[in-house]
Amino acid sequence: MTPGPRNLITDIAGLRVGNARDETLKSGTTVLTADAPFVTSCAVMGGAPGSRETDLLDPDKTAPAVDALVLSGGSAFGLAAADGVMAALRAEGRGFAVGPARVPLVPAAIIFDLVNGGAKDWAENPYPALGHRAYAAADVGFEIGSHGAGTGALTAMQKGGLGSASLVLDSGLTVGALVAVNPMGSVTTPGERHFWAAPYEIGAEFGGLGPDPRGGLGAMTASRKSALIGGVAGANTTIAIVATDAALTKAQAKRMAVAAHDGIGRAILPAHSPVDGDLIFAAATGARPLGDPVGELAQIGHAAALCLARAIARGVFAATPRDGDALPCYST
C-alpha cells in the first residue's frame, strides 16, 4: 500500500474538500462533497458526541446516500454550518428527491473549541456562513493543519489541526481519511517529540522521527489543555471521515467506520474517553465493485485505520502558530 498522489482523501476520484476559517473566532469548518451523492454511514465511540443527521446513516434507514459531510468547530453552534452547505446545495438543485421537492442531506459533527482564546461573543451564529464558504471552496487540493475544522483544535499538549492521508491498495482501491484533531488525549509520547502514530508513518510525512524507543509509555501525563480550560468535561473530540472508491452498502460502510476507530486508538492516548465525542463517518463513491466482499472489506477497514492514524499525526504536525494561541504548535 502506498499513498495516493496528494496523500489526501481527495485521491479518491470525485471527492472534493473545502475549508473556511475565522482567525478572530479561532474556529472554522470543513466540508467534504462529491460529484454525486455517496453512500455514508458512521460509528460513534466517544462519550460526548455532537452530531446532526447521523440516525439516517444507519443501514436500516431509507436515505440511500448524502450530498455532503461537515466537520466543524463551534460545539453545538457549529452544527449550523450544515445549514450553509444545504443552502448552497439547494441553489444547485441538489438533494434527496421527495416528490417535486429536493432536500440536501448533510450530516455533520463538531469539535469543542469555545475556550481556545478566540473571540466567541458573536451576535449572530457565524457557522452557517462558514459552511457556505467551505462548500464554495471545495476542490481536490486543500490545506491541512490550522485550517477548516482544525483551526482552533487543541490536543492535550499542543495545537491540534486538520489532517488527511490516503492509501492505494494492491487491488487498485483507494482509501483516505480526513480528521479534525481535538482530543482529551495526547498525540505525542511523553516529551512531545515522537508521535504515537509513528509505526504507521510513510516516508517523513510527519517528521520521520520514528517510534519512541522507550518502554513504559502508557501512563497518562499532565495535560496542558486540561489546565488551560480548568478541566471542563466534554471540551474535546476527534471527528473524521474515512472514504473509499469501492462500491459499499450502508452496512459495509458502517463496518468500515467501526474498523477505522482503531486509527484513533493508535494515534491518541487515551482515546474514546467519556469526555471525547469521537465519531467517524465512512463514505463510499461506488466507482469500483468488490470482487471479494468479505476479504476486500477487511482490507478497506484496515487501510482506513492506517490512514486515520497517519492523518491525525499529519494534522498536528502541520499546525501553524497564530496570535493569541492557547497552546504551542508541535513545530515550535
Side-chain angles (χ1 to χ4, degrees), residues 8-20 29-40 66-72 81-82 85-86 89 94 105-109 130-131 133-140 142 148-149 162-165 175-179 240-244 281-285:
L8 299 173
I9 197 171
T10 48
D11 286 326
I12 297 165
L15 294 186
R16 291 173 282 118
V17 171
N19 289 324
T29 296
T30 296
V31 176
L32 180 140
T33 190
D35 300 334
F38 49 94
V39 170
T40 304
V66 306
D67 299 288
L69 294 169
V70 171
L71 306 179
S72 184
V85 179
M86 286 185 69
L89 287 162
R94 294 187 59 176
L105 299 180
V106 186
L130 284 168
R133 282 172 47 202
Y135 179 80
D139 204 342
V140 295
F142 62 95
L162 183 76
S164 191
V175 175
L178 178 70
V179 60
I241 303 167
V242 292
T244 180
F281 294 112
T285 64

Short mmCIF file of all heavy atoms in Angstrom, two decimals, residues 8-20 29-40 66-72 81-82 85-86 89 94 105-109 130-131 133-140 142 148-149 162-165 175-179 240-244 281-285:
data_model
loop_
_atom_site.label_atom_id
_atom_site.label_comp_id
_atom_site.label_asym_id
_atom_site.label_seq_id
_atom_site.Cartn_x
_atom_site.Cartn_y
_atom_site.Cartn_z
N LEU A 8 -4.02 12.79 0.25
CA LEU A 8 -5.22 13.42 0.79
C LEU A 8 -6.43 12.54 0.47
O LEU A 8 -6.39 11.72 -0.45
CB LEU A 8 -5.44 14.81 0.17
CG LEU A 8 -4.37 15.87 0.38
CD1 LEU A 8 -4.69 17.11 -0.46
CD2 LEU A 8 -4.26 16.25 1.86
N ILE A 9 -7.51 12.75 1.18
CA ILE A 9 -8.73 11.99 0.94
C ILE A 9 -9.24 12.20 -0.48
O ILE A 9 -9.93 11.34 -1.04
CB ILE A 9 -9.80 12.35 1.99
CG1 ILE A 9 -10.91 11.30 2.01
CG2 ILE A 9 -10.34 13.76 1.76
CD1 ILE A 9 -11.89 11.46 3.18
N THR A 10 -8.88 13.32 -1.09
CA THR A 10 -9.32 13.62 -2.46
C THR A 10 -8.54 12.85 -3.51
O THR A 10 -8.76 13.03 -4.71
CB THR A 10 -9.22 15.13 -2.73
OG1 THR A 10 -7.95 15.61 -2.30
CG2 THR A 10 -10.32 15.89 -2.00
N ASP A 11 -7.64 11.95 -3.10
CA ASP A 11 -7.08 10.99 -4.05
C ASP A 11 -8.16 10.01 -4.52
O ASP A 11 -7.96 9.30 -5.51
CB ASP A 11 -5.91 10.23 -3.42
CG ASP A 11 -4.66 11.09 -3.31
OD1 ASP A 11 -4.45 11.94 -4.18
OD2 ASP A 11 -3.92 10.91 -2.32
N ILE A 12 -9.28 9.98 -3.82
CA ILE A 12 -10.44 9.22 -4.27
C ILE A 12 -11.18 10.07 -5.31
O ILE A 12 -11.66 11.17 -5.00
CB ILE A 12 -11.36 8.88 -3.09
CG1 ILE A 12 -10.61 7.99 -2.10
CG2 ILE A 12 -12.65 8.21 -3.57
CD1 ILE A 12 -11.28 7.88 -0.75
N ALA A 13 -11.23 9.58 -6.52
CA ALA A 13 -11.81 10.35 -7.62
C ALA A 13 -13.24 10.75 -7.31
O ALA A 13 -14.05 9.95 -6.83
CB ALA A 13 -11.76 9.54 -8.91
N GLY A 14 -13.55 12.02 -7.59
CA GLY A 14 -14.89 12.54 -7.39
C GLY A 14 -15.10 13.27 -6.09
O GLY A 14 -16.08 14.01 -5.95
N LEU A 15 -14.21 13.09 -5.11
CA LEU A 15 -14.35 13.78 -3.82
C LEU A 15 -13.66 15.14 -3.86
O LEU A 15 -12.60 15.30 -4.47
CB LEU A 15 -13.76 12.95 -2.68
CG LEU A 15 -14.45 11.63 -2.34
CD1 LEU A 15 -13.82 11.02 -1.11
CD2 LEU A 15 -15.94 11.82 -2.15
N ARG A 16 -14.26 16.10 -3.16
CA ARG A 16 -13.69 17.44 -3.03
C ARG A 16 -13.85 17.90 -1.58
O ARG A 16 -14.82 17.54 -0.91
CB ARG A 16 -14.40 18.42 -3.96
CG ARG A 16 -14.11 18.18 -5.44
CD ARG A 16 -14.95 19.06 -6.35
NE ARG A 16 -16.32 18.57 -6.46
CZ ARG A 16 -17.39 19.23 -6.08
NH1 ARG A 16 -17.28 20.42 -5.51
NH2 ARG A 16 -18.60 18.71 -6.24
N VAL A 17 -12.90 18.69 -1.11
CA VAL A 17 -12.91 19.20 0.26
C VAL A 17 -12.70 20.70 0.23
O VAL A 17 -11.85 21.21 -0.51
CB VAL A 17 -11.81 18.53 1.12
CG1 VAL A 17 -11.68 19.21 2.47
CG2 VAL A 17 -12.12 17.05 1.30
N GLY A 18 -13.48 21.39 1.05
CA GLY A 18 -13.33 22.84 1.18
C GLY A 18 -13.20 23.25 2.63
O GLY A 18 -13.82 22.65 3.52
N ASN A 19 -12.38 24.27 2.88
CA ASN A 19 -12.17 24.80 4.22
C ASN A 19 -12.57 26.26 4.29
O ASN A 19 -12.44 27.01 3.31
CB ASN A 19 -10.69 24.72 4.61
CG ASN A 19 -10.21 23.31 4.87
OD1 ASN A 19 -10.95 22.49 5.40
ND2 ASN A 19 -8.96 23.03 4.51
N ALA A 20 -13.04 26.67 5.46
CA ALA A 20 -13.24 28.09 5.77
C ALA A 20 -12.86 28.30 7.22
O ALA A 20 -13.11 27.42 8.07
CB ALA A 20 -14.69 28.50 5.53
N THR A 29 -14.62 25.53 9.57
CA THR A 29 -15.47 24.45 9.09
C THR A 29 -14.81 23.79 7.88
O THR A 29 -14.17 24.46 7.07
CB THR A 29 -16.85 25.00 8.69
OG1 THR A 29 -17.50 25.52 9.86
CG2 THR A 29 -17.72 23.93 8.07
N THR A 30 -15.00 22.49 7.78
CA THR A 30 -14.52 21.71 6.62
C THR A 30 -15.70 20.94 6.04
O THR A 30 -16.50 20.36 6.78
CB THR A 30 -13.41 20.74 7.05
OG1 THR A 30 -12.28 21.49 7.51
CG2 THR A 30 -12.98 19.85 5.89
N VAL A 31 -15.79 20.93 4.72
CA VAL A 31 -16.87 20.23 4.02
C VAL A 31 -16.27 19.25 3.03
O VAL A 31 -15.35 19.58 2.28
CB VAL A 31 -17.78 21.23 3.26
CG1 VAL A 31 -18.82 20.48 2.44
CG2 VAL A 31 -18.45 22.19 4.22
N LEU A 32 -16.79 18.02 3.05
CA LEU A 32 -16.48 17.05 2.01
C LEU A 32 -17.73 16.84 1.17
O LEU A 32 -18.82 16.61 1.70
CB LEU A 32 -16.03 15.71 2.61
CG LEU A 32 -15.69 14.63 1.57
CD1 LEU A 32 -14.45 13.86 1.99
CD2 LEU A 32 -16.85 13.66 1.37
N THR A 33 -17.58 16.96 -0.14
CA THR A 33 -18.68 16.72 -1.05
C THR A 33 -18.16 15.94 -2.24
O THR A 33 -16.98 15.61 -2.32
CB THR A 33 -19.36 18.04 -1.46
OG1 THR A 33 -20.58 17.75 -2.17
CG2 THR A 33 -18.44 18.90 -2.32
N ALA A 34 -19.05 15.63 -3.16
CA ALA A 34 -18.68 14.80 -4.31
C ALA A 34 -19.49 15.21 -5.52
O ALA A 34 -20.45 15.98 -5.43
CB ALA A 34 -18.91 13.32 -3.98
N ASP A 35 -19.09 14.66 -6.66
CA ASP A 35 -19.79 14.97 -7.90
C ASP A 35 -21.21 14.43 -7.89
O ASP A 35 -22.08 14.91 -8.62
CB ASP A 35 -19.03 14.38 -9.09
CG ASP A 35 -17.63 14.95 -9.21
OD1 ASP A 35 -17.40 16.08 -8.74
OD2 ASP A 35 -16.75 14.27 -9.77
N ALA A 36 -21.47 13.40 -7.09
CA ALA A 36 -22.79 12.79 -7.00
C ALA A 36 -22.99 12.33 -5.55
O ALA A 36 -22.02 12.18 -4.80
CB ALA A 36 -22.89 11.59 -7.95
N PRO A 37 -24.23 12.10 -5.13
CA PRO A 37 -24.45 11.59 -3.76
C PRO A 37 -23.68 10.31 -3.52
O PRO A 37 -23.46 9.51 -4.43
CB PRO A 37 -25.97 11.35 -3.73
CG PRO A 37 -26.52 12.29 -4.75
CD PRO A 37 -25.50 12.34 -5.85
N PHE A 38 -23.26 10.10 -2.28
CA PHE A 38 -22.42 8.95 -1.94
C PHE A 38 -22.95 8.24 -0.71
O PHE A 38 -23.53 8.86 0.18
CB PHE A 38 -20.96 9.38 -1.74
CG PHE A 38 -20.78 10.58 -0.83
CD1 PHE A 38 -20.52 10.41 0.53
CD2 PHE A 38 -20.84 11.88 -1.34
CE1 PHE A 38 -20.35 11.51 1.36
CE2 PHE A 38 -20.67 12.97 -0.51
CZ PHE A 38 -20.42 12.79 0.85
N VAL A 39 -22.76 6.93 -0.69
CA VAL A 39 -23.19 6.09 0.43
C VAL A 39 -22.38 6.46 1.68
O VAL A 39 -21.16 6.61 1.62
CB VAL A 39 -23.00 4.59 0.10
CG1 VAL A 39 -23.21 3.72 1.33
CG2 VAL A 39 -23.95 4.19 -1.02
N THR A 40 -23.08 6.60 2.80
CA THR A 40 -22.41 7.01 4.04
C THR A 40 -23.02 6.30 5.24
O THR A 40 -24.24 6.10 5.29
CB THR A 40 -22.53 8.54 4.24
OG1 THR A 40 -22.01 9.21 3.11
CG2 THR A 40 -21.76 9.00 5.47
N VAL A 66 -25.88 10.61 0.71
CA VAL A 66 -25.88 12.01 1.15
C VAL A 66 -25.15 12.87 0.14
O VAL A 66 -24.45 12.37 -0.75
CB VAL A 66 -25.26 12.17 2.55
CG1 VAL A 66 -25.93 11.24 3.55
CG2 VAL A 66 -23.76 11.92 2.53
N ASP A 67 -25.32 14.19 0.30
CA ASP A 67 -24.73 15.14 -0.65
C ASP A 67 -23.43 15.75 -0.16
O ASP A 67 -22.61 16.21 -0.96
CB ASP A 67 -25.74 16.25 -0.95
CG ASP A 67 -27.02 15.71 -1.56
OD1 ASP A 67 -26.97 15.30 -2.73
OD2 ASP A 67 -28.04 15.67 -0.86
N ALA A 68 -23.24 15.79 1.15
CA ALA A 68 -22.02 16.39 1.73
C ALA A 68 -21.93 15.98 3.18
O ALA A 68 -22.91 15.55 3.80
CB ALA A 68 -22.05 17.91 1.61
N LEU A 69 -20.72 16.09 3.73
CA LEU A 69 -20.47 15.87 5.15
C LEU A 69 -19.74 17.09 5.69
O LEU A 69 -18.89 17.68 5.00
CB LEU A 69 -19.62 14.62 5.37
CG LEU A 69 -20.26 13.28 5.00
CD1 LEU A 69 -19.21 12.17 5.01
CD2 LEU A 69 -21.41 12.95 5.94
N VAL A 70 -20.05 17.45 6.93
CA VAL A 70 -19.46 18.63 7.55
C VAL A 70 -18.73 18.25 8.82
O VAL A 70 -19.28 17.54 9.68
CB VAL A 70 -20.55 19.69 7.87
CG1 VAL A 70 -19.97 20.82 8.72
CG2 VAL A 70 -21.16 20.24 6.60
N LEU A 71 -17.49 18.71 8.95
CA LEU A 71 -16.74 18.69 10.20
C LEU A 71 -16.55 20.15 10.60
O LEU A 71 -16.11 20.96 9.79
CB LEU A 71 -15.37 18.02 10.02
CG LEU A 71 -15.34 16.62 9.42
CD1 LEU A 71 -13.90 16.13 9.30
CD2 LEU A 71 -16.16 15.64 10.24
N SER A 72 -16.89 20.49 11.83
CA SER A 72 -16.85 21.91 12.20
C SER A 72 -16.41 22.12 13.63
O SER A 72 -16.60 21.26 14.50
CB SER A 72 -18.23 22.54 11.99
OG SER A 72 -18.20 23.94 12.26
N ALA A 81 -23.34 24.96 10.65
CA ALA A 81 -22.57 25.05 9.40
C ALA A 81 -23.25 24.26 8.29
O ALA A 81 -23.18 24.62 7.11
CB ALA A 81 -21.15 24.55 9.61
N ALA A 82 -23.92 23.16 8.66
CA ALA A 82 -24.62 22.35 7.67
C ALA A 82 -25.74 23.14 7.00
O ALA A 82 -26.11 22.86 5.85
CB ALA A 82 -25.18 21.09 8.32
N VAL A 85 -24.25 24.84 4.04
CA VAL A 85 -23.98 23.87 2.98
C VAL A 85 -25.28 23.47 2.29
O VAL A 85 -25.35 23.36 1.06
CB VAL A 85 -23.26 22.64 3.56
CG1 VAL A 85 -23.01 21.61 2.48
CG2 VAL A 85 -21.95 23.06 4.22
N MET A 86 -26.33 23.24 3.08
CA MET A 86 -27.63 22.90 2.50
C MET A 86 -28.12 23.99 1.55
O MET A 86 -28.65 23.71 0.47
CB MET A 86 -28.66 22.68 3.60
CG MET A 86 -28.52 21.39 4.35
SD MET A 86 -29.86 21.14 5.55
CE MET A 86 -31.24 20.86 4.43
N LEU A 89 -26.19 23.75 -1.70
CA LEU A 89 -26.63 22.59 -2.47
C LEU A 89 -28.02 22.82 -3.08
O LEU A 89 -28.28 22.46 -4.24
CB LEU A 89 -26.65 21.35 -1.58
CG LEU A 89 -25.29 20.77 -1.20
CD1 LEU A 89 -25.42 19.86 0.01
CD2 LEU A 89 -24.68 20.00 -2.38
N ARG A 94 -29.55 20.33 -5.96
CA ARG A 94 -29.17 19.02 -5.46
C ARG A 94 -29.99 18.65 -4.22
O ARG A 94 -30.49 19.52 -3.51
CB ARG A 94 -27.68 18.98 -5.12
CG ARG A 94 -26.77 19.12 -6.33
CD ARG A 94 -25.32 18.92 -5.98
NE ARG A 94 -25.07 17.59 -5.40
CZ ARG A 94 -23.85 17.16 -5.09
NH1 ARG A 94 -22.79 17.94 -5.28
NH2 ARG A 94 -23.69 15.94 -4.59
N LEU A 105 -29.05 16.37 1.88
CA LEU A 105 -28.75 15.63 3.10
C LEU A 105 -27.29 15.90 3.48
O LEU A 105 -26.37 15.54 2.74
CB LEU A 105 -28.98 14.14 2.89
CG LEU A 105 -30.43 13.75 2.54
CD1 LEU A 105 -30.55 12.25 2.36
CD2 LEU A 105 -31.42 14.25 3.58
N VAL A 106 -27.10 16.52 4.65
CA VAL A 106 -25.77 16.98 5.06
C VAL A 106 -25.54 16.62 6.53
O VAL A 106 -25.71 17.45 7.43
CB VAL A 106 -25.63 18.49 4.85
CG1 VAL A 106 -24.19 18.93 5.16
CG2 VAL A 106 -26.02 18.91 3.44
N PRO A 107 -25.15 15.40 6.83
CA PRO A 107 -24.77 15.06 8.21
C PRO A 107 -23.54 15.87 8.65
O PRO A 107 -22.69 16.25 7.82
CB PRO A 107 -24.45 13.57 8.13
CG PRO A 107 -25.22 13.09 6.94
CD PRO A 107 -25.15 14.22 5.96
N ALA A 108 -23.46 16.11 9.95
CA ALA A 108 -22.37 16.95 10.47
C ALA A 108 -21.94 16.47 11.84
O ALA A 108 -22.71 15.83 12.57
CB ALA A 108 -22.83 18.42 10.56
N ALA A 109 -20.71 16.78 12.19
CA ALA A 109 -20.17 16.52 13.52
C ALA A 109 -19.29 17.69 13.92
O ALA A 109 -18.73 18.39 13.05
CB ALA A 109 -19.38 15.21 13.56
N LEU A 130 -19.76 30.16 7.50
CA LEU A 130 -18.53 29.38 7.33
C LEU A 130 -18.80 28.11 6.52
O LEU A 130 -18.00 27.72 5.66
CB LEU A 130 -17.95 29.01 8.69
CG LEU A 130 -17.23 30.14 9.45
CD1 LEU A 130 -16.97 29.75 10.89
CD2 LEU A 130 -15.91 30.50 8.75
N GLY A 131 -19.93 27.47 6.76
CA GLY A 131 -20.28 26.29 5.99
C GLY A 131 -20.47 26.60 4.52
O GLY A 131 -20.00 25.86 3.64
N ARG A 133 -19.12 29.10 2.85
CA ARG A 133 -17.80 29.41 2.28
C ARG A 133 -16.99 28.14 2.05
O ARG A 133 -16.29 28.01 1.04
CB ARG A 133 -17.05 30.35 3.21
CG ARG A 133 -17.47 31.81 3.14
CD ARG A 133 -16.80 32.63 4.24
NE ARG A 133 -15.36 32.36 4.33
CZ ARG A 133 -14.63 32.58 5.41
NH1 ARG A 133 -15.21 33.06 6.51
NH2 ARG A 133 -13.34 32.35 5.40
N ALA A 134 -17.04 27.23 3.00
CA ALA A 134 -16.27 25.99 2.87
C ALA A 134 -16.77 25.19 1.67
O ALA A 134 -15.96 24.64 0.90
CB ALA A 134 -16.37 25.17 4.14
N TYR A 135 -18.07 25.10 1.49
CA TYR A 135 -18.61 24.36 0.35
C TYR A 135 -18.17 25.02 -0.96
O TYR A 135 -17.78 24.33 -1.92
CB TYR A 135 -20.13 24.30 0.42
CG TYR A 135 -20.74 23.57 -0.76
CD1 TYR A 135 -20.77 22.19 -0.80
CD2 TYR A 135 -21.24 24.27 -1.85
CE1 TYR A 135 -21.30 21.51 -1.89
CE2 TYR A 135 -21.77 23.61 -2.94
CZ TYR A 135 -21.79 22.22 -2.96
OH TYR A 135 -22.30 21.57 -4.04
N ALA A 136 -18.21 26.35 -1.00
CA ALA A 136 -17.82 27.07 -2.21
C ALA A 136 -16.35 26.85 -2.55
O ALA A 136 -15.95 26.92 -3.71
CB ALA A 136 -18.10 28.56 -2.06
N ALA A 137 -15.54 26.57 -1.52
CA ALA A 137 -14.10 26.38 -1.73
C ALA A 137 -13.73 24.94 -2.05
O ALA A 137 -12.55 24.64 -2.27
CB ALA A 137 -13.34 26.82 -0.48
N ALA A 138 -14.70 24.03 -2.08
CA ALA A 138 -14.40 22.62 -2.24
C ALA A 138 -13.65 22.32 -3.52
O ALA A 138 -14.06 22.74 -4.61
CB ALA A 138 -15.68 21.80 -2.17
N ASP A 139 -12.53 21.58 -3.40
CA ASP A 139 -11.68 21.27 -4.54
C ASP A 139 -10.88 20.00 -4.20
O ASP A 139 -10.92 19.52 -3.06
CB ASP A 139 -10.74 22.44 -4.83
CG ASP A 139 -10.27 22.47 -6.28
OD1 ASP A 139 -10.37 21.43 -6.97
OD2 ASP A 139 -9.77 23.52 -6.71
N VAL A 140 -10.12 19.51 -5.15
CA VAL A 140 -9.30 18.33 -4.90
C VAL A 140 -8.06 18.67 -4.07
O VAL A 140 -7.49 17.80 -3.41
CB VAL A 140 -8.89 17.62 -6.20
CG1 VAL A 140 -10.12 17.07 -6.90
CG2 VAL A 140 -8.13 18.56 -7.13
N PHE A 142 -6.47 20.95 -0.93
CA PHE A 142 -6.87 21.74 0.24
C PHE A 142 -5.74 21.70 1.26
O PHE A 142 -4.88 20.81 1.23
CB PHE A 142 -8.18 21.23 0.84
CG PHE A 142 -8.11 19.81 1.36
CD1 PHE A 142 -7.85 19.55 2.70
CD2 PHE A 142 -8.31 18.73 0.50
CE1 PHE A 142 -7.79 18.24 3.17
CE2 PHE A 142 -8.26 17.42 0.96
CZ PHE A 142 -7.99 17.17 2.30
N GLY A 148 -9.75 25.12 8.28
CA GLY A 148 -11.05 24.50 8.38
C GLY A 148 -11.41 24.13 9.81
O GLY A 148 -11.20 24.90 10.75
N ALA A 149 -11.95 22.93 9.99
CA ALA A 149 -12.36 22.49 11.32
C ALA A 149 -11.20 22.35 12.28
O ALA A 149 -11.40 22.28 13.50
CB ALA A 149 -13.10 21.16 11.20
N LEU A 162 -6.27 19.98 11.26
CA LEU A 162 -6.98 19.19 10.25
C LEU A 162 -5.96 18.32 9.53
O LEU A 162 -4.94 18.83 9.05
CB LEU A 162 -7.66 20.12 9.25
CG LEU A 162 -8.51 19.43 8.18
CD1 LEU A 162 -9.83 18.95 8.77
CD2 LEU A 162 -8.78 20.39 7.01
N GLY A 163 -6.21 17.02 9.47
CA GLY A 163 -5.28 16.11 8.83
C GLY A 163 -5.94 15.28 7.76
O GLY A 163 -7.16 15.10 7.76
N SER A 164 -5.13 14.77 6.86
CA SER A 164 -5.64 13.88 5.82
C SER A 164 -4.51 12.97 5.36
O SER A 164 -3.33 13.32 5.48
CB SER A 164 -6.20 14.69 4.64
OG SER A 164 -6.92 13.87 3.75
N ALA A 165 -4.89 11.81 4.83
CA ALA A 165 -3.92 10.86 4.29
C ALA A 165 -4.67 9.89 3.39
O ALA A 165 -5.90 9.77 3.47
CB ALA A 165 -3.21 10.10 5.41
N VAL A 175 -8.27 4.38 -0.49
CA VAL A 175 -8.88 4.68 0.81
C VAL A 175 -8.23 5.97 1.33
O VAL A 175 -7.03 6.20 1.12
CB VAL A 175 -8.65 3.53 1.81
CG1 VAL A 175 -9.18 3.89 3.19
CG2 VAL A 175 -9.31 2.25 1.30
N GLY A 176 -9.01 6.80 1.97
CA GLY A 176 -8.47 8.04 2.51
C GLY A 176 -9.15 8.44 3.80
O GLY A 176 -10.20 7.90 4.16
N ALA A 177 -8.54 9.39 4.51
CA ALA A 177 -9.09 9.87 5.78
C ALA A 177 -8.96 11.39 5.85
O ALA A 177 -8.01 11.98 5.31
CB ALA A 177 -8.37 9.23 6.96
N LEU A 178 -9.91 11.99 6.55
CA LEU A 178 -9.93 13.43 6.83
C LEU A 178 -10.35 13.58 8.28
O LEU A 178 -11.34 12.97 8.70
CB LEU A 178 -10.94 14.11 5.90
CG LEU A 178 -11.16 15.61 6.06
CD1 LEU A 178 -9.92 16.40 5.60
CD2 LEU A 178 -12.39 16.06 5.27
N VAL A 179 -9.62 14.36 9.08
CA VAL A 179 -9.87 14.38 10.51
C VAL A 179 -9.61 15.75 11.12
O VAL A 179 -8.68 16.45 10.73
CB VAL A 179 -9.01 13.30 11.23
CG1 VAL A 179 -7.52 13.55 11.01
CG2 VAL A 179 -9.33 13.21 12.71
N ALA A 240 -13.95 12.50 12.21
CA ALA A 240 -13.24 12.12 11.00
C ALA A 240 -14.20 11.60 9.94
O ALA A 240 -15.34 11.23 10.21
CB ALA A 240 -12.20 11.05 11.32
N ILE A 241 -13.67 11.57 8.72
CA ILE A 241 -14.32 10.91 7.59
C ILE A 241 -13.29 9.96 6.99
O ILE A 241 -12.15 10.36 6.73
CB ILE A 241 -14.76 11.92 6.51
CG1 ILE A 241 -15.70 12.97 7.08
CG2 ILE A 241 -15.41 11.19 5.33
CD1 ILE A 241 -15.92 14.17 6.16
N VAL A 242 -13.67 8.72 6.81
CA VAL A 242 -12.86 7.79 6.02
C VAL A 242 -13.66 7.47 4.76
O VAL A 242 -14.88 7.37 4.81
CB VAL A 242 -12.48 6.52 6.80
CG1 VAL A 242 -11.53 6.86 7.93
CG2 VAL A 242 -13.70 5.79 7.33
N ALA A 243 -12.97 7.31 3.66
CA ALA A 243 -13.68 7.16 2.38
C ALA A 243 -12.94 6.18 1.48
O ALA A 243 -11.75 5.92 1.64
CB ALA A 243 -13.82 8.51 1.69
N THR A 244 -13.68 5.66 0.51
CA THR A 244 -13.12 4.74 -0.47
C THR A 244 -13.88 4.88 -1.77
O THR A 244 -15.02 5.36 -1.80
CB THR A 244 -13.21 3.28 0.03
OG1 THR A 244 -12.64 2.41 -0.95
CG2 THR A 244 -14.65 2.86 0.29
N PHE A 281 -17.37 9.20 10.18
CA PHE A 281 -18.22 8.93 9.03
C PHE A 281 -17.42 8.05 8.06
O PHE A 281 -16.21 8.23 7.90
CB PHE A 281 -18.57 10.22 8.29
CG PHE A 281 -19.44 11.18 9.06
CD1 PHE A 281 -18.93 12.40 9.49
CD2 PHE A 281 -20.77 10.89 9.32
CE1 PHE A 281 -19.73 13.31 10.18
CE2 PHE A 281 -21.57 11.79 10.01
CZ PHE A 281 -21.05 12.99 10.44
N ALA A 282 -18.10 7.14 7.39
CA ALA A 282 -17.49 6.36 6.32
C ALA A 282 -18.27 6.63 5.04
O ALA A 282 -19.50 6.55 5.03
CB ALA A 282 -17.50 4.87 6.63
N ALA A 283 -17.55 6.95 3.96
CA ALA A 283 -18.18 7.31 2.69
C ALA A 283 -17.62 6.44 1.57
O ALA A 283 -16.43 6.11 1.56
CB ALA A 283 -17.91 8.79 2.38
N ALA A 284 -18.49 6.09 0.63
CA ALA A 284 -18.09 5.25 -0.50
C ALA A 284 -18.68 5.82 -1.79
O ALA A 284 -19.90 6.00 -1.88
CB ALA A 284 -18.55 3.81 -0.30
N THR A 285 -17.82 6.09 -2.76
CA THR A 285 -18.30 6.67 -4.02
C THR A 285 -18.88 5.62 -4.96
O THR A 285 -19.61 5.96 -5.89
CB THR A 285 -17.16 7.40 -4.76
OG1 THR A 285 -16.15 6.45 -5.14
CG2 THR A 285 -16.55 8.49 -3.88
#
